[in-house]
């Protein structure tokens, strides 16, 4: 147990490796045993047929209890329930899994499925080879399995199989220790252990695992092991509750989902679909049947004594009675449900998520990441102020070369690699020779302070195409100048003047969706299939183009990603997919930003990623040039000008009171397109996803809009909806 506790106290990745090796060994050992027993059995040397006849295996009923055969049959499930109770382990470890909403249920199904299948094979092997069941159960060894092996195998093979069993048991115990420690940690996080919770809910700042919970369980386990000296009655009374407790605990949420929540249940991406309710009903019925069976003794009448009594009803019932009384007397007054992370909170109440961020940070630990946030917050600011960059930890190659980060960006894994580095090295990580990544909320006002002296790095040089805009400007004075030029565009008064252009494009979106819906109806379909995110891209790009360039691209009208391009003001027009161009431009700029000196030579690299990305940057600049040229040409012909972003930029004055030049005007207009297009469409897509996925939201939203918006108005005005709850 002490060795298992040491392993369970290690970092999550190490524990995962131990469990992977242990699980693989268990499966391989089980396969070896299933093959070895029938292959090496010595029943023939005992004058018996090599295998028990099928007529005996399937036709005889072993009377192992004093109960009728039907009850005895149900009681035979006790061993199966005991051995298969470990499938809840993936649930307890889900907070330490990546992609837990898929990985955890899949692991539960595979654990129970593989265990059930191979367990059935092992039961068949035992049934076809066992010589004398009573002799195995009553052997002086006190181990029926070992006694059975000695009946059917030579001694050396028996010892080898028992050695495999011991190793498998150790691996299983270590897995149980990990799962149990996470349960203890979860209860502690919910303050269920009173003052002790402050100790057992802490996450070790070095391993980022609940070490205190592990050793708390170890202490309790060692104390319980002392019951062995009290004889089999005391130990059996304790161990008998395992199956019942696990069964009941695992079935309660299933029963709530099936019988109380019903259609309000929000399934995850890996679920049973339409079979969920029927399977859940069968599971609850089976548990309701088996719980009383699990509490029955094997003998009755005069044969029943203290040693033969099944004490589960007392050992399980007494603490459950105490917990029930505690709930009504105290816990119901302060326990409002389990503590959940921000991502879970966002599924139900986004406002609550935002309100709780500060509380989540100040907690001594979080279940979602396994990181001791309070410990990081307490020490990282001082480290940031005093440490030399040479003392900041990080991946070895990243400390000496920009190529490590460039390689991660090229693979599209920068965010994953940097996050993994923070989990390994802490809140300060050196990801380039002159670049420190900071993961500490307290550093935000320091780094982004207007008076802090921190300026943008050379990373932003890779984003410059026509000329620097407010986003890519690294000079503080130039940034201040540009901010004065464009800040008035985003005032509430100015934005309200843009509403007619937004409404016109939204009307076009509604018209296109109505057209697709009518087309589906004409062919007898109840719904029209569409990629909403793609249409949100079209809408955002057309609105931003309408405001920043004086006219939409026409993506909504055409139903496709297309925009006019001019590589120079005098070039003939060509056409390119603006959304694809913007995505490629972002990918290559993020990559080259790690090594800006490479940008002039990047198009000559053999990797097509670079020359295609740089071509995308040129095309994006060409889109801006084409649109601005059209607008300026109209201005020169005294065509009445629209009141939009581009008009405001054209009216802007520099520090000398002169209008900004064509090149800067084009660059700043392009900056608005880059900043406001895909960000807007992705956000709207996410909002639609969560509104449709969260039960009750769409109905409530529809009711509120119908009350506030006049009938027949497809696109409501801002004033009519700004005060909706």
């Amino acid at each position: 147990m002490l060795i298992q506790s040491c392993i369970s106290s290690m970092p999550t990745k190490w524990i995962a490796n131990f469990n992977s090796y242990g699980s693989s060994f268990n499966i391989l050992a089980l396969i070896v045993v299933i093959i070895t027993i029938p292959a090496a059995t010595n029943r023939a040397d005992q004058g018996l047929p090599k295998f028990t006849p099928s007529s005996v295996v399937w036709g005889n009923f072993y009377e192992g209890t004093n109960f009728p055969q039907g009850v005895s049959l149900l009681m035979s499930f006790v061993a199966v329930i005991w051995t298969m109770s470990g499938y809840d382990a993936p649930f307890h470890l889900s907070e330490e899994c990546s992609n837990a909403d898929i990985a955890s249920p899949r692991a539960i199904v595979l654990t129970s499925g593989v265990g059930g299948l191979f367990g059935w094979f092992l039961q068949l092997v035992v049934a076809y080879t066992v010589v004398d069941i009573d002799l195995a159960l009553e052997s002086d060894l006190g181990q029926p399995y070992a006694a059975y092996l000695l009946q059917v195998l030579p001694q050396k093979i028996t010892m080898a199989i028992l050695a495999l069993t011991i190793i498998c048991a150790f691996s299983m115990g270590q897995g149980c220790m990990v799962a149990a420690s996470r349960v203890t940690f979860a209860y502690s996080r919910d303050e269920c252990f009173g003052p002790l919770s402050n100790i057992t809910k802490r996450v070790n700042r070095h391993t980022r695992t609940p070490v205190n919970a592990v050793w708390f369980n170890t202490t309790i386990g060692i104390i319980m092991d002392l019951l062995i000296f009290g004889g089999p009655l005391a130990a059996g009374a304790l161990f008998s509750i395992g199956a019942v407790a696990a069964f009941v605990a695992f079935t309660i949420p299933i029963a709530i989902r099936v019988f109380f929540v019903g259609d309000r249940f929000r399934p995850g991406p890996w679920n049973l679909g339409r079979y969920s309710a029927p399977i859940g009903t069968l599971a609850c019925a089976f548990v309701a049947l088996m719980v009383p069976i699990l509490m029955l003794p094997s003998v009755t009448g005069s044969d029943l004594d203290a040693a033969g009594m099944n004490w589960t009803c007392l050992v399980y019932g007494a603490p459950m009675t105490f917990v029930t009384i505690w709930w009504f007397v105290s816990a119901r007054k302060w326990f409002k449900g389990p503590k959940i992370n921000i991502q879970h909170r966002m599924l139900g109440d986004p406002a609550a998520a935002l309100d709780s961020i500060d509380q989540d940070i100040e907690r001594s630990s979080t279940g979602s990441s396994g990181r001791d946030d309070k410990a990081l917050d307490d020490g990282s600011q001082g480290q940031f102020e005093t440490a030399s960059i040479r003392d900041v930890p990080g991946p070895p190659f990243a400390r000496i070369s920009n190529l490590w980060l460039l390689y991660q960006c090229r693979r599209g894994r920068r965010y994953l690699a940097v996050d993994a580095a923070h989990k390994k090295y802490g809140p300060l990580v050196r990801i380039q020779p002159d670049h420190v990544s900071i993961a500490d909320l307290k550093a935000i006002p320091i780094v982004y302070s207007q008076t802090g002296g921190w300026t943008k790095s050379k990373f932003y040089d890779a984003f410059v195409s026509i000329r620097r805009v407010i986003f890519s400007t690294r000079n503080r004075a130039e940034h201040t100048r540009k901010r004065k030029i464009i800040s008035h565009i985003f005032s509430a008064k100015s934005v309200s003047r843009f509403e007619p252009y937004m409404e016109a494009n939204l009307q076009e979106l509604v018209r296109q969706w109505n057209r697709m819906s009518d087309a589906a109806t004409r062919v007898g379909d109840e719904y029209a299939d569409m990629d909403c995110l793609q249409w949100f891209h079209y809408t955002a790009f057309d609105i931003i183009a309408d405001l920043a360039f004086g006219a939409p691209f026409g993506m909504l009208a055409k139903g496709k990603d297309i925009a006019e391009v001019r590589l120079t003001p005098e070039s003939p027009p060509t056409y390119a997919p603006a959304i694809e161009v913007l995505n490629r431009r972002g990918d290559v700029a993020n990559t080259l930003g790690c090594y800006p000196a490479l940008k002039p030579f990047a198009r000559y690299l053999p990797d097509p990623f670079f020359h295609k990305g740089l071509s995308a940057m040129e095309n994006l600049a060409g889109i801006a040039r084409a649109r601005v040229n059209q607008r300026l040409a109209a201005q020169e012909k005294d065509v009445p000008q629209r009141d939009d972003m581009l008009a405001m930029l054209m009216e802007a004055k520099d520090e000398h009171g002169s209008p900004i030049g064509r090149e800067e005007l084009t660059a700043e207009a392009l900056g608005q397109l880059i900043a406001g297009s895909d960000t807007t469409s992705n956000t709207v897509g996410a909002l639609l996803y969560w509104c449709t996925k969260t039960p009750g939201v769409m109905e409530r939203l529809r009711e509120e809009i119908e009350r506030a918006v006049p009938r027949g108005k497809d696109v409501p005005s801002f004033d009519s909806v700004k005060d909706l709850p």
Side-chain angles (χ1 to χ4, degrees):
M1 184 178 291
L2 295 176
I3 297 175
Q4 291 168 343
S5 301
C6 291
I7 296 174
S8 301
S9 300
M10 293 179 178
T12 299
K13 187 174 182 179
W14 294 14
I15 296 173
N17 289 334
F18 273 107
N19 283 350
S20 295
Y21 294 139
S23 299
S24 300
F25 182 86
N26 277 17
I27 294 174
L28 292 175
L30 183 55
I31 294 173
V32 168
V33 170
I34 291 174
I35 296 174
T36 301
I37 292 177
T41 180
N42 59 7
R43 284 172 54 98
D45 297 338
Q46 304 175 45
L48 300 171
K50 185 170 184 178
F51 299 113
T52 303
S54 295
S55 59
V56 175
V57 171
W58 299 100
N60 288 5
F61 193 95
Y62 175 74
E63 297 286 350
T65 74
N66 291 352
F67 289 93
Q69 286 189 359
V71 177
S72 294
L73 177 63
L74 293 174
M75 293 177 72
S76 68
F77 282 94
V78 172
V80 178
I81 293 171
W82 245 106
T83 55
M84 291 191 63
S85 61
Y87 51 70
D88 59 334
F91 172 77
H92 302 311
L93 295 172
S94 60
E95 288 185 310
E96 296 174 66
C97 296
S98 60
N99 204 23
D101 53 355
I102 294 177
S104 186
R106 182 170 57 196
I108 290 173
V109 171
L110 288 175
T111 301
S112 56
V114 173
L117 180 64
F118 282 99
W120 173 249
F121 290 153
L122 182 60
Q123 292 291 331
L124 288 177
V125 168
V126 172
Y128 274 95
T129 57
V130 66
V131 175
D132 191 323
I133 297 177
D134 289 324
L135 189 60
L137 294 174
E138 298 170 3
S139 169
D140 294 338
L141 294 174
Q143 294 290 333
Y145 180 60
Y148 152 73
L149 292 176
L150 287 172
Q151 285 184 8
V152 300
L153 294 171
Q155 186 176 7
K156 290 184 178 180
I157 296 179
T158 297
M159 298 304 294
I161 291 179
L162 290 177
L164 292 177
T165 304
I166 293 171
I167 297 173
C168 291
F170 175 85
S171 174
M172 181 196 68
Q174 188 271 321
C176 291
M177 177 64 76
V178 174
S181 66
R182 275 45 178 182
V183 174
T184 300
F185 169 74
Y187 280 132
S188 301
R189 188 175 54 188
D190 296 340
E191 307 295 340
C192 292
F193 296 141
L196 188 62
S197 297
N198 293 327
I199 298 174
T200 51
K201 73 178 180 181
R202 291 181 184 173
V203 174
N204 186 277
R205 67 182 304 169
H206 301 292
T207 66
R208 303 209 172 112
T209 51
V211 174
N212 290 359
V214 172
W215 289 97
F216 172 79
N217 285 352
T218 303
T219 303
I220 299 298
I222 291 173
I223 293 173
M224 289 183 174
D225 281 345
L226 297 177
L227 290 174
I228 294 174
F229 299 105
L233 180 62
L238 178 63
F239 297 139
S240 63
I241 70 171
V244 174
F247 237 39
V248 172
F250 208 72
T251 308
I252 287 175
I254 298 175
I256 293 174
R257 180 262 180 271
V258 173
F259 301 111
F260 297 96
V261 177
D263 294 336
R264 291 178 292 128
F265 177 73
R266 187 168 55 241
W270 210 91
N271 59 77
L272 295 172
R274 61 181 178 177
Y275 300 107
S276 177
I279 292 176
T281 302
L282 289 174
C284 294
F286 180 72
V287 172
L289 172 66
M290 289 305 301
V291 166
I293 298 296
L294 292 172
M295 297 187 184
L296 294 176
S298 60
V299 294
T300 59
S302 59
D303 295 331
L304 181 61
D305 55 15
M309 177 61 184
N310 187 338
W311 295 98
T312 304
C313 54
L314 176 63
V315 179
Y316 178 69
M320 290 305 297
T321 301
F322 169 76
V323 169
T324 303
I325 296 173
W326 177 47
W327 165 257
F328 283 104
V329 173
S330 173
R332 66 183 177 87
K333 300 176 183 178
W334 51 266
F335 182 71
K336 304 302 179 184
K339 300 286 180 65
I340 54 180
N341 57 40
I342 293 174
Q343 287 82 357
H344 289 162
R345 219 183 288 264
M346 289 175 68
L347 292 175
D349 187 356
L354 297 176
D355 293 340
S356 69
I357 288 177
D358 290 338
Q359 300 172 12
D360 290 341
I361 292 167
E362 292 172 1
R363 288 204 300 262
S364 63
S365 60
T366 63
S368 59
S369 65
R371 179 184 297 178
D372 192 338
D373 287 324
K374 187 173 188 301
L376 298 182
D377 286 347
D378 288 345
S380 57
Q381 183 171 342
Q383 181 184 3
F384 176 70
E385 292 172 345
T386 61
S388 164
I389 193 171
R390 291 192 299 270
D391 300 326
V392 177
F397 190 47
R399 295 163 59 87
I400 61 174
S401 173
N402 293 335
L403 294 178
W404 179 85
L405 190 60
L406 185 143
Y407 173 68
Q408 302 299 340
C409 289
R410 172 60 186 89
R411 298 171 64 208
R413 292 175 50 84
R414 172 178 175 141
Y415 71 103
L416 291 172
V418 173
D419 181 63
H422 277 292
K423 290 178 179 178
K424 181 176 182 179
Y425 296 106
L428 297 183
V429 177
R430 192 175 177 186
I431 58 176
Q432 287 180 288
D434 59 351
H435 184 175
V436 174
S437 176
I438 306 173
D440 191 325
L441 292 176
K442 289 185 177 180
I444 292 177
I446 300 174
V447 174
Y448 289 99
S449 170
Q450 290 293 322
T451 59
W454 298 92
T455 58
K456 293 180 177 178
S457 71
K458 294 180 180 180
F459 171 81
Y460 293 88
D461 293 348
F463 291 83
V464 180
S465 55
I466 301 173
R467 63 174 293 173
R468 293 187 185 275
V469 296
I470 190 169
F471 168 75
S472 57
T473 296
R474 297 173 56 208
N475 180 276
R476 186 177 295 277
E478 179 66 8
H479 188 275
T480 301
R481 169 188 167 274
K482 287 183 175 293
R483 194 171 64 225
K484 290 179 180 179
I485 291 174
I486 69 171
S487 60
H488 67 290
I489 297 176
F490 300 101
S491 68
K493 181 179 178 181
S494 297
V495 172
S496 66
R497 287 151 57 184
F498 303 153
E499 187 171 358
Y501 307 118
M502 301 182 202
E503 181 177 354
N505 286 282
L506 292 172
Q507 289 282 10
E508 180 63 23
L509 173 65
V510 172
R511 188 185 71 79
Q512 290 284 11
W513 282 10
N514 284 338
R515 177 185 60 79
M516 289 187 286
S517 178
D518 293 341
T521 302
R522 284 194 295 271
V523 298
D525 292 336
E526 187 176 359
Y527 299 100
D529 293 330
M530 67 181 74
D531 184 348
C532 290
L533 181 59
Q534 197 67 22
W535 282 97
F536 290 151
H537 284 322
Y538 299 159
T539 305
F541 272 78
D542 270 1
I543 289 176
I544 297 298
D546 207 357
L547 298 176
F549 298 144
F553 288 129
M555 293 184 186
L556 282 170
K558 300 182 184 73
K560 64 170 84 172
D561 176 15
I562 194 71
E564 181 183 323
V565 177
R566 290 179 186 265
L567 297 182
T568 67
E570 295 78 22
S571 298
T574 58
Y575 295 89
I579 300 172
E580 179 184 339
V581 164
L582 183 63
N583 290 335
R584 285 197 176 189
R585 174 257 184 197
D587 291 341
V588 77
N590 274 295
T591 303
L592 292 175
C594 303
Y595 209 154
L598 188 62
K599 185 178 178 182
F601 314 101
R603 66 174 61 255
Y604 305 110
L605 295 174
D607 187 349
F609 168 83
F610 291 102
H611 67 76
K612 287 183 179 179
L614 291 173
S615 297
M617 295 183 74
E618 294 174 353
N619 286 334
L620 198 60
I623 291 171
R625 288 192 183 98
R627 291 295 177 172
V628 172
N629 287 345
Q630 292 173 2
R631 187 65 173 270
L632 292 177
Q635 184 187 41
E636 292 173 357
K637 296 177 181 179
D638 295 327
V639 175
Q641 296 297 298
R642 301 173 0 134
D643 192 8
D644 55 19
M645 283 184 179
L646 187 55
M648 292 183 177
L649 284 172
M650 292 165 64
E651 295 169 0
K653 309 293 183 182
D654 63 14
E655 66 273 22
H656 304 297
S658 303
I660 61 177
R662 177 192 293 260
E663 187 179 71
E664 185 174 11
L665 174 65
T666 304
E668 293 296 345
L670 176 59
Q672 304 309 312
L673 174 67
I674 294 170
S677 51
D678 60 341
T679 304
T680 301
S681 54
N682 288 333
T683 302
V684 174
L687 288 172
L688 177 63
Y689 172 79
W690 288 112
C691 285
T692 55
K693 186 176 178 62
T694 307
V697 170
M698 292 298 290
E699 292 78 6
R700 181 182 173 188
L701 181 61
R702 187 180 296 110
E703 292 173 0
E704 291 180 1
I705 292 176
E706 289 176 349
R707 287 196 299 266
V709 180
R711 185 176 296 276
K713 181 76 171 175
D714 290 332
V715 180
S717 65
F718 173 71
D719 287 336
S720 66
V721 297
K722 66 180 181 180
D723 296 324
L724 291 181

